[in-house]
Amino acid sequence: MANEKESLFSKKNLQLLTGPLGSQNPITVQVLGICSALAVTAKVESAIVMALAVTIVVGVANMAISLLRNSIPNRIRIIVQLMVVATLVILVDQILKAFSYGVSKQLSVYVGLIITNCIVMGRMEAFGLGNKPWPSFLDGIGNGLGYGMILVIIAVVRELFGAGTITLPAIGELRIIPEAFYTACGYENCGFMLMPPMALIIVAVIIWIQRSRNKDLIKK
């Protein structure tokens, strides 16, 4: 049992989880999933829900493709991958509509577009097809968490300075910048923060900070 636990949570496997949070981040290093980073980060709530949805889909899809990898003909592997992801996305979409209809409406078509998310397809093609199910699952979860981390950071900055609030799932809107501050100091929210171009600027700043702190990324 001890050897089994060591193999499941070995240093190599843990690296699959932690790597995408830093030097192998799918958004800031691999530049994948940028579209949804621009589209769903006007509110923290939407970013968190999208992050969880993508993490679940990419983790389970990666593991499923790994389980099927020896029985998938090479010429139809992309079709099989799309079928697996489409099934998972439909399930996620229906669960969102059942338990969080408001967020589902905010995310709109972007939940469905998880099917073509570069991160999901990229991990299945680059990792799931060539590795065992458990590492593939960890790789998917790690990349989903790395993607979600960037989404939440962008959303916090955009909503805080664009609306003065932070909206969280199951809690609702929290007023962070008090109304008294607006009255006393003449502060006004920056509407530009809520526009999609601002998300791209924030991503660029995060990439700049990350690469300035990690010189190895400059070559990538």
Side-chain angles (χ1 to χ4, degrees), residues 61-62 65 81 84-85 119-129:
N62 224 21
I65 290 300
Q81 291 171 18
V84 169
V85 177
I119 297 171
V120 181
M121 297 300 295
R123 295 326 299 168
M124 288 189 296
E125 185 74 9
F127 199 94
L129 283 174

Side-chain angles (χ1 to χ4, degrees), residues 174-187:
L174 301 175
R175 170 59 59 181
I176 304 301
I177 301 178
E179 293 292 345
F181 187 75
Y182 291 89
T183 304
C185 303
Y187 178 79

Side-chain angles (χ1 to χ4, degrees), residues 3-186:
N3 291 334
E4 183 180 355
K5 288 183 178 179
E6 288 176 6
S7 63
L8 289 177
F9 299 101
S10 63
K11 184 177 179 180
K12 181 179 178 181
N13 284 342
L14 289 177
Q15 179 60 28
L16 295 174
L17 278 174
T18 59
L21 299 176
S23 61
Q24 299 172 34
N25 189 274
I27 291 182
T28 61
V29 177
Q30 302 174 46
V31 197
L32 301 175
I34 291 291
C35 297
S36 53
L38 304 181
V40 302
T41 54
K43 285 191 175 183
V44 176
E45 181 182 37
S46 300
I48 291 174
V49 173
M50 177 61 82
L52 289 174
V54 171
T55 300
I56 292 169
V57 169
V58 70
V60 177
N62 224 21
M63 181 173 64
I65 290 300
S66 176
L67 288 168
L68 297 170
R69 69 189 188 280
N70 294 325
S71 58
I72 302 175
N74 187 59
R75 65 183 182 278
I76 62 167
R77 71 184 191 283
I78 300 298
I79 298 174
V80 174
Q81 291 171 18
L82 286 171
M83 289 179 62
V84 169
V85 177
T87 302
L88 293 171
V89 169
I90 290 171
L91 289 174
V92 168
D93 187 41
Q94 293 303 308
I95 291 171
L96 276 178
K97 287 180 178 176
F99 295 100
S100 187
Y101 185 70
V103 176
S104 176
K105 287 185 68 177
Q106 289 176 23
L107 293 175
S108 184
V109 298
Y110 296 106
V111 174
L113 289 176
I114 294 175
I115 296 172
T116 56
N117 190 302
C118 302
I119 297 171
V120 181
M121 297 300 295
R123 295 326 299 168
M124 288 189 296
E125 185 74 9
F127 199 94
L129 283 174
N131 292 274
K132 294 181 179 180
W134 178 245
S136 296
F137 177 73
L138 293 180
D139 177 81
I141 295 297
N143 276 273
L145 292 175
Y147 162 88
M149 178 184 71
I150 300 300
L151 249 65
V152 172
I153 291 173
I154 297 170
V156 167
V157 175
R158 291 183 69 192
E159 186 178 2
L160 179 60
F161 292 103
T165 60
I166 295 293
T167 308
L168 299 174
I171 296 176
E173 185 177 279
L174 301 175
R175 170 59 59 181
I176 304 301
I177 301 178
E179 293 292 345
F181 187 75
Y182 291 89
T183 304
C185 303

